[in-house]
Amino acid sequence: MNTTRSRAVLPAGLRPPGRWAVLPAAVLAGAVLGGGYGALKAPEYAATSYVIVVPAEKSDPAAAVGFAQAYGRVATDIAVTGDAQVWAGVTADTLRKNVQAETSPDAPMISITARSAKPAQAVSMADGVARSLVLNSTHVAGSTGVKVVQFSRATKPVAPVSPSAALSALVGGCAGGLLGGLVLLVRPKRPVPRDGARHSRQASFPAGPAAVPAPAAAAHQPEAV
């Protein structure tokens, strides 16, 4: 007679969490980390100054667009070699890291955006780089045939451009959910215990040989006289 060992059934509160519990845990962890980062990081402000490249007399107007593209690529280098860092009161490395120049393919205009934790400092850096471009173009106007003119000075920002704590928490939660889903996809399945496999085999096959019915008793025949 075969006997099987019964498995102890734990209460619902004591059972280990399933593999799908990884997803909500990852979302919660991402939201907490993102919200904490947004709350602890200092807000960042951005200020933008605009300059325009104009052709000199007897110069090709189409050349202004090309020179605007060139000035946009070397804007921070010109600012560092000039007096922009002195006017802004920052180091050359700060200018290179926090100032970005953008150009337009259709108009000879350059936008200079500076970022800083202080609104007034962002304005000083943007205007300082723009002023350096204007002075540099004046010095080489005889050979280039164009000059840079101040189009619009930077205004003091009133609101930060860095994400808030709520937005950082939302982004962190989405990233955590994505990572949790990837973990579920690449995580190998839990192997079946040997006891479970043995029980399944025992359930598939009968416990013992099937009973073979006994042959029917031979019919009584009269004895020959």
Side-chain angles (χ1 to χ4, degrees), residues 7 24 37 62 67 75 92 101 124 141 154 159 178 192:
R7 300 177 60 185
Y37 175 78
F67 276 104
S124 299
L178 178 61
V192 180

Side-chain angles (χ1 to χ4, degrees), residues 61-126:
V65 177
F67 276 104
Q69 300 288 334
Y71 273 117
R73 293 188 183 96
V74 298
T76 54
D77 294 333
I78 294 175
V80 168
T81 56
D83 295 328
Q85 53 187 330
V86 178
W87 298 327
V90 297
T91 62
D93 188 59
T94 301
L95 280 179
R96 289 191 178 96
K97 290 182 179 179
N98 298 286
V99 176
Q100 183 178 7
E102 296 182 356
T103 58
S104 172
D106 303 324
M109 181 174 288
I110 307 172
S111 63
I112 303 165
T113 303
R115 295 174 178 266
S116 175
K118 300 178 181 179
Q121 190 175 69
V123 173
S124 299
M125 288 193 298

Side-chain angles (χ1 to χ4, degrees), residues 1-5 202 206-209:
M1 179 178 181
N2 294 331
T3 59
T4 59
R5 183 175 57 184
Q202 290 177 356

Side-chain angles (χ1 to χ4, degrees), residues 118-147:
K118 300 178 181 179
Q121 190 175 69
V123 173
S124 299
M125 288 193 298
D127 287 340
V129 174
R131 185 178 176 184
S132 292
L133 291 179
V134 171
L135 291 178
N136 180 270
S137 68
T138 302
H139 295 157
V140 297
S143 58
T144 60
V146 297
K147 60 181 180 178

Side-chain angles (χ1 to χ4, degrees), residues 107-201:
M109 181 174 288
I110 307 172
S111 63
I112 303 165
T113 303
R115 295 174 178 266
S116 175
K118 300 178 181 179
Q121 190 175 69
V123 173
S124 299
M125 288 193 298
D127 287 340
V129 174
R131 185 178 176 184
S132 292
L133 291 179
V134 171
L135 291 178
N136 180 270
S137 68
T138 302
H139 295 157
V140 297
S143 58
T144 60
V146 297
K147 60 181 180 178
V148 179
V149 180
Q150 182 80 48
F151 184 79
S152 175
R153 295 179 63 87
T155 57
K156 188 176 181 179
V158 295
V161 294
S162 55
S164 61
L167 181 59
S168 298
L170 179 61
V171 174
C174 294
L178 178 61
L179 292 178
L182 293 176
V183 170
L184 290 177
L185 291 177
V186 302
R187 182 181 178 183
K189 294 184 178 181
R190 190 175 300 175
V192 180
R194 294 184 177 180
D195 293 342
R198 184 170 63 250
H199 296 336
S200 62
R201 287 197 300 268

